[in-house]
Amino acid sequence: MINDKTLAYLLAMQQDELDESIIYSKIARTVKDENNRSVLERISADERSHYEVWKTYTDRELKPRRLKIFLTVLTAKIFGFTFAVKRMESRENIAGPAYAQLVKEVPEAAEISEQEDEHERQLLSMLDEERLRYVGSMVLGLSDALVELTGTLAGLTFALQNTRLVALSGLITGISATLSMASSEFLSAKSEGRGDALKSCLYTGAAYVATVALLTLPYLVLPEGKYLTALVFMLAAVVLIVAAFNYYIAVAKEQKFLRRFAEMTGISLGIAALAFGVGILVKKWLGVDI
């Protein structure tokens, strides 16, 4: 006999297996690479078989959670299938030790646990998405934009004390720097004999210009006299951008989150503080009052 606690856990596992079977199947239809698609379809079939195993013990036919499926598939479309399935598998790993506790009451638990480990190895071999191949280019554009533009906007905030003037200067600087950084990445890739120079520079430029837009947004939407408020929102945007990007990398490429996050945030905010001080000194030295 299965006790109530084990039954509740099995129902939760059964629901997850059903949802993930559908999710893998739907994501597989959107993947162009045949090898990746076949692996996803095979995992989908395995998840469905796990669902059937759990059903023999729970004697329950469950319905898929449509919202969870929709959100996960949407995540895969926006951020890539690697990020979506890695995130899903990482949450599945949390339940890993619980499988061992079920072995006495559910003999198939050990075999299913081994299959879940095999899923992870298969997923690792699937890391061949274009966006992940150009993570280095995105990091280059993002980090350079954060450091350069954070410092520029912080310095201009006190020097100009006008959100519109800061936004104007920031956009001109940011767009110019975007073109400069993208062209530099293109020439660098070309000099290395790489055939993907154009894609590399586009990813670098896209990361740079997106950062420029987000950091200058507070200065565009707030009143002219709210330059200090705009500065606070800009710095908050820096932290959020760094956190979101490093979370993506940590999940998709299985890297440490906190160390990378602390490093990028510390550099960006440190440069901002230094540039803010420079803005004060330059304003006093030149005697400019706007």
Side-chain angles (χ1 to χ4, degrees):
M1 295 293 293
I2 299 176
N3 62 50
D4 292 341
K5 186 176 180 180
T6 301
L7 180 61
Y9 178 75
L10 284 175
L11 283 170
M13 290 295 98
Q14 183 183 350
Q15 183 69 67
D16 286 340
E17 302 290 9
L18 174 62
D19 295 338
E20 290 170 12
S21 173
I22 297 171
I23 289 169
Y24 279 117
S25 178
K26 285 182 176 290
I27 293 176
R29 297 173 200 163
T30 67
V31 176
K32 296 180 180 179
D33 182 83
E34 290 185 9
N35 180 64
N36 291 338
R37 184 167 60 251
S38 65
V39 173
L40 286 167
E41 289 172 346
R42 189 161 64 251
I43 295 176
S44 174
D46 287 344
E47 299 286 8
R48 183 71 192 192
S49 68
H50 298 164
Y51 168 82
E52 296 296 337
V53 170
W54 299 139
K55 191 172 71 171
T56 62
Y57 287 92
T58 63
D59 196 28
R60 291 274 299 275
E61 186 72 51
L62 303 180
K63 294 182 179 180
R65 292 175 290 190
R66 299 295 179 187
L67 181 59
K68 175 187 176 181
I69 294 169
F70 170 77
L71 292 176
T72 306
V73 174
L74 180 63
T75 298
K77 289 181 180 179
I78 297 173
F79 299 105
F81 73 86
T82 301
F83 174 80
V85 298
K86 280 284 186 180
R87 186 165 175 265
M88 190 165 59
E89 286 292 319
S90 67
R91 289 189 296 209
E92 192 173 90
N93 286 341
I94 296 174
Y99 277 123
Q101 299 175 13
L102 295 175
V103 173
K104 291 183 179 179
E105 296 183 78
V106 183
E108 289 88 347
E111 182 181 352
I112 292 177
S113 181
E114 291 178 5
Q115 289 181 350
E116 295 293 354
D117 291 339
E118 179 62 22
H119 288 179
E120 288 185 22
R121 288 190 289 271
Q122 290 173 337
L123 288 170
L124 286 173
S125 68
M126 290 166 51
L127 290 178
D128 192 30
E129 279 191 288
E130 181 179 280
R131 68 190 71 194
L132 290 179
R133 292 200 299 270
Y134 293 100
V135 160
S137 298
M138 289 190 286
V139 169
L140 177 64
L142 182 73
S143 60
D144 193 78
L146 285 172
V147 172
E148 182 175 340
L149 202 63
T150 301
T152 299
L153 292 175
L156 290 173
T157 295
F158 192 84
L160 301 179
Q161 297 186 3
N162 184 297
T163 58
R164 295 296 180 272
L165 291 176
V166 175
L168 175 65
S169 303
L171 286 172
I172 293 173
T173 302
I175 293 171
S176 299
T178 298
L179 297 174
S180 174
M181 177 60 65
S183 61
S184 296
E185 177 66 11
F186 177 81
L187 293 173
S188 175
K190 273 291 187 182
S191 67
E192 295 173 2
R194 289 163 50 189
D196 61 346
L198 180 59
K199 282 188 177 180
S200 181
C201 85
L202 288 176
Y203 273 97
T204 301
Y208 203 113
V209 76
T211 306
V212 169
L214 290 172
L215 296 189
T216 55
L217 184 61
Y219 294 93
L220 290 171
V221 299
L222 290 174
E224 294 182 3
K226 298 290 185 179
Y227 54 92
L228 289 179
T229 304
L231 175 64
V232 172
F233 277 109
M234 185 271 289
L235 295 177
V238 169
V239 176
L240 289 175
I241 291 169
V242 173
F245 184 76
N246 280 287
Y247 176 70
Y248 174 81
I249 298 301
V251 172
K253 296 185 75 77
E254 296 185 339
Q255 296 181 1
K256 298 293 184 182
F257 170 76
L258 287 177
R259 181 177 178 179
R260 290 175 58 88
F261 171 71
E263 186 179 74
M264 288 186 70
T265 303
I267 292 174
S268 299
L269 297 183
I271 293 297
L274 185 62
F276 190 78
V278 171
I280 296 174
L281 294 175
V282 170
K283 183 179 174 66
K284 290 184 176 181
W285 178 52
L286 294 178
V288 177
D289 189 15
I290 299 177

